[in-house]
Amino acid sequence: MVETMKREWFSNIRGDILAGIVVALALIPEAIAFSIIAGVDPMVGLYASFSIAVIISFVGGRPGMISAATGAMALLMVPLVRDHGLEYLLAATILTGIIQLLLGVFKIAKLMKFIPRGVMIGFVNALAILIFMAQVPHFIGISNLTYIYVAITLLIVYIAPKFIKGVPAPLIAIIILTSVALFTNADLRTVGDLGEISQTLPVFLIPDIPFNLETLMIILPYAFALAIVGLLESLLTASIVDDMTDTESDKNKESRGQGIANIINGFFGGMAGCAMIGQSVINVKSGGRGRLSTFVAGSFLMFLIIVLGDLVVQIPMPVLVGIMIMVSISTFDWSSFSYLVKAPRTDAIVMVVTVAIVVITNDLSKGVLAGVLLSAIFFVAKISNIKLTKKAKDNTISYYLTGQLFFASVDDFIDAFDYDVKDKKIILDFSNSHVWDDSAVGAIDKVVLKYQENDNEVILKGLNEKSKRMIDRLAVSDV
């Protein structure tokens, strides 16, 4: 226990602190922007980012991953805030956490194994595209000076690591270019232009709503959607950080941790949040590996707001835009272009569909769910192909079935037989097959009854134990 704590908290102190500082600076404009999307005060997103990051650093299952207010969650909140207001959102946030905690207790993370690689690649690429698209309004068509600052930021972030190893390149870019902008009084948009920041700490509160069944019915659909989307994004992000750091994480603990963080967060005036792949990538790329980096990110975020708020609002937006563009470039899986050529066509289609739906809907959950559903359909189509081999000898006709017999293959199974025979011994050999469901048993019944109508004797052989039990339990024919 002590060794684990030392490894997760204090094995990379310098790297974690510096990375956390960079993440905190990058969190501010995003938290404000997500608050605006949801239709709430900017401080709601900032409080959420502070609370969730600090709490998840203790109770999460993936060290070095950043959780805070996110765009995917903010989009789901819009109708609730519009129709019922902030207090209902806070109640929904608490209920979201309770649902996530329960899902973690019931080990929801085991469902991650059902997400194919094509969906994972599509998720990462779509997120990279969304990160880039989110920056476009902050630099396109504003001014030539904005383009210059974005370009210089990209150069610093790309070149600095080749010469300076101890300080994260994004932090170098923020310090240098903010100083230049202030010194030259450059006409640039700043963080403060996104929304007003009040220099106050969050306080404990109980949502001012009626505690009755009607309120529950209002917030439950939103809370359930937020819980599923939050866990989906968090667990996928955890898997990506696992790959980036070549380490393992406890996905069920992460699920429980997300729940605990959102419960507490809701009582301190924050909107529901989850893991952020963009900020997590920034953290890892900046040298963050342990829980300390996540804790520093949340704590320093609040320090920036309370103590350095007047300075933070003067950070030029083009600098943060440049950092996020570099994040999108490094997040995108450029090998996926060769994957499109080399992978099976169905896998390539799944990846493209996942990306397209996420980009079109701006909703990661819809793309991932569509990708998983499409993969399932393709898989069913592949394994529904069955082969029936016929051999006749004397008065006996034997059919040898190869393949999986279930709802998607029963029509081909029924159509494969020749029923125009009489007084024969019909053997159906299932040695190379498996009977999976009631549809399969019904199809076998239909074949057997058709043969028996013409006074044929039907024998089933080669059934494995599970298939035989299912037929014995469900079949209506006498076989």
Side-chain angles (χ1 to χ4, degrees):
M1 184 71 177
V2 176
E3 287 300 318
T4 301
M5 181 176 288
K6 285 182 179 179
R7 183 180 71 253
E8 293 184 347
W9 280 93
F10 306 115
S11 62
N12 182 40
I13 295 176
R14 177 186 174 85
D16 284 347
I17 291 175
L18 291 174
I21 291 172
V22 173
V23 171
L25 290 165
L27 273 175
I28 292 175
E30 292 211 349
I32 296 173
F34 298 150
S35 299
I36 294 169
I37 290 172
V40 296
D41 186 272
M43 293 309 296
V44 176
L46 290 168
Y47 286 156
S49 296
F50 159 68
S51 301
I52 295 173
V54 170
I55 296 163
I56 207 72
S57 68
F58 290 97
V59 299
R62 171 65 262 180
M65 189 168 76
I66 305 299
S67 294
T70 66
M73 302 282 269
L75 288 168
L76 297 173
M77 302 170 189
V78 175
L80 179 61
V81 175
R82 182 189 62 229
D83 298 338
H84 300 283
L86 174 62
E87 298 295 329
Y88 279 80
L89 173 60
L90 299 182
T93 297
I94 296 167
L95 184 56
T96 296
I98 293 171
I99 295 171
Q100 290 179 324
L101 179 59
L102 291 174
L103 290 173
V105 170
F106 290 111
K107 302 186 184 303
I108 188 68
K110 62 186 176 184
L111 296 179
M112 282 293 294
K113 66 183 179 183
F114 294 110
I115 299 181
R117 183 165 181 258
V119 176
M120 290 284 288
I121 296 174
F123 169 81
V124 172
N125 289 345
L127 205 48
I129 294 169
L130 289 182
I131 291 171
F132 178 81
M133 289 173 61
Q135 312 313 311
V136 171
H138 297 301
F139 77 97
I140 294 294
I142 295 176
S143 68
N144 290 332
L145 187 59
T146 297
Y147 292 126
I148 293 171
Y149 266 71
V150 170
I152 294 173
T153 301
L154 290 171
L155 285 173
I156 292 175
V157 174
Y158 179 74
I159 296 173
K162 301 180 185 298
F163 303 97
I164 303 172
K165 305 295 183 183
V167 183
L171 184 58
I172 296 172
I174 290 170
I175 293 172
I176 292 176
L177 293 180
T178 300
S179 300
V180 171
L182 292 174
F183 182 76
T184 61
N185 198 26
D187 184 18
L188 294 167
R189 290 188 178 181
T190 64
V191 170
D193 293 327
L194 291 179
E196 185 178 346
I197 296 178
S198 58
Q199 294 172 266
T200 55
L201 283 167
V203 295
F204 180 84
L205 56 86
I206 296 175
D208 184 16
I209 56 170
F211 290 93
N212 54 34
L213 185 60
E214 182 183 354
T215 298
L216 179 62
M217 290 300 99
I218 291 172
I219 65 174
L220 183 58
Y222 293 100
F224 187 76
L226 288 166
I228 297 301
V229 170
L231 284 185
L232 186 62
E233 189 166 352
S234 296
L235 297 180
L236 285 171
T237 302
S239 295
I240 291 165
V241 176
D242 288 352
D243 292 339
M244 290 179 67
T245 58
D246 196 25
T247 56
E248 292 294 325
S249 60
D250 187 337
K251 305 296 189 304
N252 289 311
K253 183 178 180 181
E254 183 62 38
S255 301
R256 297 191 297 271
Q258 292 289 331
I260 293 168
N262 274 315
I263 291 170
I264 298 173
N265 167 47
F267 282 113
F268 281 89
M271 56 198 273
C274 63
M276 306 178 74
I277 188 170
Q279 304 297 345
S280 298
V281 170
I282 288 179
N283 190 45
V284 172
K285 295 285 186 183
S286 300
R289 291 294 184 274
R291 295 181 182 275
L292 183 61
S293 62
T294 309
F295 178 81
V296 169
S299 302
F300 194 69
L301 168 65
M302 195 47 57
F303 173 81
L304 289 171
I305 294 168
I306 302 300
V307 180
L308 303 177
D310 293 336
L311 184 60
V312 168
V313 295
Q314 298 182 67
I315 297 175
M317 277 304 299
V319 180
L320 296 175
V321 166
I323 292 170
M324 295 308 294
I325 289 175
M326 189 58 75
V327 168
S328 69
I329 292 171
S330 61
T331 300
F332 194 90
D333 185 353
W334 297 98
S335 65
S336 57
F337 290 110
S338 62
Y339 177 84
L340 286 173
V341 177
K342 296 177 182 177
R345 183 168 296 179
T346 52
D347 292 345
I349 291 172
V350 166
M351 189 198 82
V352 172
V353 168
T354 302
V355 172
I357 291 179
V358 171
V359 172
I360 291 169
T361 65
N362 207 34
D363 189 334
L364 292 165
S365 63
K366 285 187 175 67
V368 172
L369 292 175
V372 171
L373 180 60
L374 192 59
S375 295
I377 292 171
F378 284 145
F379 176 72
V380 168
K382 286 178 183 177
I383 67 168
S384 64
N385 295 321
I386 60 171
K387 180 182 178 184
L388 205 65
T389 305
K390 177 182 177 182
K391 290 184 180 180
K393 184 177 181 182
D394 298 330
N395 200 44
T396 301
I397 301 175
S398 299
Y399 290 94
Y400 299 89
L401 180 66
T402 302
Q404 309 301 313
L405 193 59
F406 65 115
F407 66 88
S409 59
V410 293
D411 288 342
D412 291 339
F413 172 75
I414 293 171
D415 294 340
F417 292 94
D418 175 15
Y419 300 102
D420 295 329
V421 295
K422 291 185 177 182
D423 300 315
K424 298 287 186 180
K425 183 179 181 180
I426 309 296
I427 298 175
L428 307 183
D429 193 322
F430 290 86
S431 299
N432 295 314
S433 182
H434 185 91
V435 179
W436 285 101
D437 57 13
D438 179 55
S439 297
V441 176
I444 295 171
D445 266 336
K446 192 171 184 178
V447 170
V448 170
L449 291 171
K450 278 191 174 187
Y451 275 120
Q452 289 177 344
E453 286 173 1
N454 291 334
D455 300 320
N456 296 293
E457 179 190 359
V458 182
I459 299 173
L460 306 186
K461 62 178 291 188
L463 288 164
N464 58 44
E465 186 179 343
K466 289 185 178 179
S467 298
K468 188 175 187 305
R469 279 205 306 267
M470 183 171 290
I471 290 175
D472 290 342
R473 188 171 69 250
L474 299 174
V476 296
S477 59
D478 184 19
V479 291

